[in-house]
Amino acid sequence: MSVVKRPNGKWRARYRDAAGKEHARHFDRKVDADRWHASMKTALARGEWVDPALSRVTVGDWAARWFANQVQLKPSTRQRYGSLLRRQVLPVWERVPLSAVTHADVGEWVRRMTQAGLAPSTVRQAHRVFSLLLALAVRDGRLTRNVAAGVRLPRVGRADKVFLTHGQVGELASAAEPHGLIIRVLAYTGLRWGELAALRVRRVDLVKRRLLVAESVTEVNGRAVFGTPKTHQRRSVPLPRFLVEPIAAQIAGRSGDELVFTSPAGGVLRNNNFRRRVFDRAAESIGLTGLTPHELRHTAASLAVAEGANVKAVQRMLGHASAAMTLDVYADLFEDDLDQVADRLDRAAGRAAADSVRTAGVGPDLDAVGPGRRQHR
């Protein structure tokens, strides 16, 4: 490693990497050459050195490689990531070398998207995609750190959830006839729309009153794509008794591989079509304009909790990844549980105080000690 002055007046700093390959840069000032030379020595010593040639690849080229290898993504997620790349990430970063991306630049990009009026959730998703491809560059030895990490992101406000009562579910189902069974199944099992639309006859157990959720269908670019449920996990969902007979009638005469619920033409039941033809009209007719099918999933959680279901049972029914996620989504529904905990602690403390008073009032009974005998302490 060395810093020498060249005949043309420039300062050349040289070093060799761990493989013995020489790297050099030229500077106008010796102080700049010394600083760069020292930083390369330090990076090599700490194992943080990155080959400059690897980090010169542009974000656009690297994003293409990263996206092509995301084989684990569900079709709908892949479509969303691709859209975020095309619309938010690449228009700004496509021609920028990986090595030129800075933490401050990423923060500025987030600020501009926010000021342009993009929804906070869209901004956060765009940042996530960019951060994921930079994280891969770190693992591939092209960057020393992910400069998108730690950037401040806009907060996403939580929309108020709508929880229907039993009566409202009944009214909505009646208004949606002859498709009322779909409303009732969504509201009393908590299935996601894609899970309901992909439910097959062989996965309905009317004896045990269970629905096996093992498949989901998503619309991607106008095409119905079948895959695993959202968490990739199968689950068994309980079926209330009053739904057994209607579902039995619904699947009568169908083969095991046929879908339980279909479109009028016998194809996959699509959310947008169902809302336009049935759901929105039915909701409006009973004064619930703006209601969405997904809010029947919230309703299922609410009705289950109201009947004493604990957070673990609700998690299993809804197919959440963890009980913590269920609490995060439906924390308000479990406030009564907290009140019950406080009431039970209050009663327990009262009993303990009463026991303490009774114990304090009981002393030695001297009359019970026979003559000629002594109490030993």
Side-chain angles (χ1 to χ4, degrees):
M1 295 188 180
S2 62
V3 175
V4 297
K5 190 172 185 178
R6 303 290 293 163
N8 61 2
K10 297 277 189 178
W11 290 90
R12 183 177 68 181
R14 297 183 303 169
Y15 71 94
R16 293 186 182 276
D17 61 30
K21 181 181 177 181
E22 183 178 281
H23 301 267
R25 279 187 63 180
H26 294 80
F27 299 87
D28 292 330
R29 303 188 307 165
K30 184 176 186 300
V31 64
D32 296 328
D34 287 335
R35 185 180 296 116
W36 180 80
H37 186 251
S39 68
M40 293 300 102
K41 286 176 62 178
T42 301
L44 282 167
R46 293 178 175 176
E48 299 172 352
W49 179 83
V50 171
D51 187 342
L54 295 179
S55 61
R56 281 198 291 269
V57 64
T58 65
V59 170
D61 289 341
W62 185 248
R65 292 184 59 183
W66 169 80
F67 188 65
N69 292 329
Q70 300 307 298
V71 296
Q72 82 287 358
L73 297 179
K74 296 176 74 68
S76 57
T77 305
R78 185 176 182 82
Q79 181 190 38
R80 184 170 69 252
Y81 279 14
S83 177
L84 291 165
L85 279 173
R86 291 191 304 272
R87 296 180 180 181
Q88 273 78 46
V89 178
L90 295 182
V92 175
W93 301 103
E94 184 172 17
R95 299 182 182 278
V96 179
L98 288 174
S99 59
V101 180
T102 69
H103 182 81
D105 289 339
V106 177
E108 177 67 15
W109 172 59
V110 167
R111 183 187 65 80
R112 289 201 304 269
M113 287 192 292
T114 303
Q115 289 184 340
L118 287 181
S121 60
T122 302
V123 174
R124 295 177 73 95
Q125 289 173 24
H127 171 268
R128 171 173 170 75
V129 168
F130 192 34
S131 182
L132 286 172
L133 68 88
L134 292 180
L136 179 61
V138 174
R139 293 195 297 273
D140 201 52
R142 296 172 183 272
L143 295 174
T144 58
R145 65 188 183 94
N146 183 350
V147 295
V151 169
R152 294 189 177 277
L153 302 172
R155 294 181 181 273
V156 178
R158 290 192 176 184
D160 292 335
K161 295 180 180 64
V162 176
F163 304 114
L164 303 189
T165 64
H166 291 283
Q168 288 174 315
V169 172
E171 291 177 9
L172 182 63
S174 296
E177 292 297 358
H179 307 286
L181 183 57
I182 293 174
I183 303 298
R184 291 185 176 92
V185 170
L186 289 172
Y188 285 101
T189 66
L191 296 186
R192 300 177 178 92
W193 179 268
E195 296 168 346
L196 175 104
L199 183 64
R200 299 185 187 276
V201 173
R202 69 173 183 272
R203 293 182 178 131
V204 177
D205 189 334
L206 295 178
V207 176
K208 294 182 178 180
R209 294 188 292 113
R210 291 288 189 272
L211 303 178
L212 177 61
V213 177
E215 200 172 9
S216 184
V217 62
T218 306
E219 191 169 336
V220 180
N221 295 326
R223 185 168 57 92
V225 179
F226 286 82
T228 58
K230 189 171 184 179
T231 56
H232 302 284
Q233 296 292 325
R234 293 184 173 213
R235 72 182 189 280
S236 181
V237 178
L239 190 66
R241 291 185 187 278
F242 77 91
L243 290 177
V244 171
E245 187 174 334
I247 290 182
Q250 177 76 12
I251 64 178
R254 299 192 187 187
S255 67
D257 203 47
E258 288 188 68
L259 297 173
V260 175
F261 300 102
T262 63
S263 69
V268 175
L269 189 64
R270 300 186 183 231
N271 190 304
N272 289 337
N273 291 344
F274 184 78
R275 288 194 62 179
R276 186 176 65 254
R277 297 170 182 170
V278 179
F279 190 89
D280 291 348
R281 172 182 51 79
E284 185 176 356
S285 72
I286 64 170
L288 293 174
T289 302
L291 186 75
T292 68
H294 191 72
E295 283 166 321
L296 296 180
R297 179 170 162 84
H298 299 327
T299 294
S302 173
L303 296 178
V305 172
E307 294 305 316
N310 60 42
V311 63
K312 196 66 181 177
V314 175
Q315 175 214 341
R316 290 177 60 192
M317 181 178 78
L318 298 182
H320 284 163
S322 66
M325 179 180 178
T326 305
L327 279 174
D328 186 49
V329 176
Y330 296 113
D332 293 346
L333 295 180
F334 292 95
E335 286 187 351
D336 289 345
D337 285 357
L338 296 178
D339 293 336
Q340 292 173 16
V341 169
D343 291 341
R344 289 169 183 167
L345 289 173
D346 187 55
R347 290 194 294 270
R351 288 195 300 270
D355 290 345
S356 177
V357 170
R358 286 195 298 271
T359 302
V362 177
D365 188 353
L366 298 179
D367 292 335
V369 179
R373 299 179 62 186
R374 297 175 57 189
Q375 280 189 317
H376 295 278
R377 296 180 181 273

